[in-house]
Amino acid sequence: MATADRRTLIQVFAINALFFVAEGLAGWWAQSMGLVADGLDMLADAIVYGLSLSAIGQVAARKRRIAHLSGYFQLALAAIGFAEVLRRVFVAGAPPEPLTMALVSAFALAGNLTCLYLLRRAKDGEAHMQASWIFTSNDAKANVGVILAAGLVALTGNSWPDLVVGAFIFVLVIRGAVRILKL
C-alpha cells in the first residue's frame, strides 16, 4: 500500500504544483482574487502532499502529526488570503478578466477531478491520505465557484463576485483544516 500511496501522492503533487503556477500567473494577469486564492490553495496542497509523502511508512502518531501540521498550514494560508481579500475590498481596482478566470479554472477543475480519481482509494485510509482527499475535494468546489464568479463578473462588470468567491475559497480552506485537525 505504501508504494501505491507514494505514487498517488507524487502524481497529485505534480498536478497541484503545475496548477499553482498556472492559476497564480493567470490570476495575477487577470486581476482575479478567485484565481489567486485557488492558486495559493494549490500551492498549499502541493506542500501538504509533500508532507504526506514524508509520512508514508511512519507510525500512526507521526502521520497524525503530519496531518495536523497540514491543517495548521491551511489555517495560516486562509488568514493571509482573507487579508488580501480585505485589501482588495478597500483598494478598488478594475474588475477581473472573466474569460481568463473561467478558462483557467475549468482546466484546474479537470486537474482536481483527476486528483480525486487518483485519491479515491485514499479517502478512507490513514490520516495523511484522508487530509489529501479533503484538500482536493475542496479545490474542485473552489474551481466551480471561480467559474460561476467569472460569469457574474462578465454579466455585472463588477469585482464583487470574484472577491466573494475568493473569500469563499478561504472559508473552504478553514473548514478543511478544521476537519483535518479533528482526524
Side-chain angles (χ1 to χ4, degrees):
M1 187 58 130
T3 302
D5 286 352
R6 179 173 281 110
R7 183 176 49 251
T8 298
L9 288 170
I10 289 170
Q11 291 169 331
V12 296
F13 171 85
I15 291 167
N16 277 265
L18 171 74
F19 279 105
F20 156 65
V21 173
E23 284 190 300
L25 289 174
W28 174 77
W29 181 81
Q31 295 299 302
S32 169
M33 189 64 228
L35 281 178
V36 168
D38 197 43
L40 288 174
D41 190 30
M42 293 285 212
L43 169 64
D45 292 351
I47 291 169
V48 167
Y49 298 138
L51 289 171
S52 292
L53 278 166
S54 74
I56 294 174
Q58 300 293 320
V59 296
R62 175 141 169 83
K63 290 176 181 180
R64 278 191 303 278
R65 281 194 304 272
I66 289 171
H68 286 163
L69 177 62
S70 301
Y72 290 124
F73 184 78
Q74 291 285 6
L75 288 175
L77 170 75
I80 293 166
F82 275 123
E84 177 60 14
V85 169
L86 286 174
R87 187 192 72 76
R88 289 182 184 215
V89 165
F90 293 110
V91 180
E97 208 297 300
L99 182 60
T100 301
M101 288 173 65
L103 289 175
V104 172
S105 199
F107 281 113
L109 177 59
N112 280 315
L113 292 175
T114 301
C115 289
L116 283 173
Y117 176 77
L118 293 168
L119 290 165
R120 72 192 179 285
R121 290 187 188 101
K123 68 180 177 180
D124 297 319
E126 297 178 274
H128 68 292
M129 294 303 288
Q130 288 180 38
S132 298
W133 174 267
I134 290 168
F135 291 144
T136 304
S137 63
N138 283 342
D139 286 351
K141 295 170 191 169
N143 297 134
V144 172
V146 174
I147 293 167
L148 293 173
L152 290 171
V153 167
L155 286 172
T156 66
N158 194 304
S159 297
W160 282 100
D162 182 55
L163 294 173
V164 168
V165 166
F168 172 75
I169 289 169
F170 293 119
V171 168
L172 282 176
V173 170
I174 290 170
R175 285 185 61 221
V178 169
R179 284 177 61 193
I180 288 160
L181 292 172
K182 289 180 179 179
L183 289 177

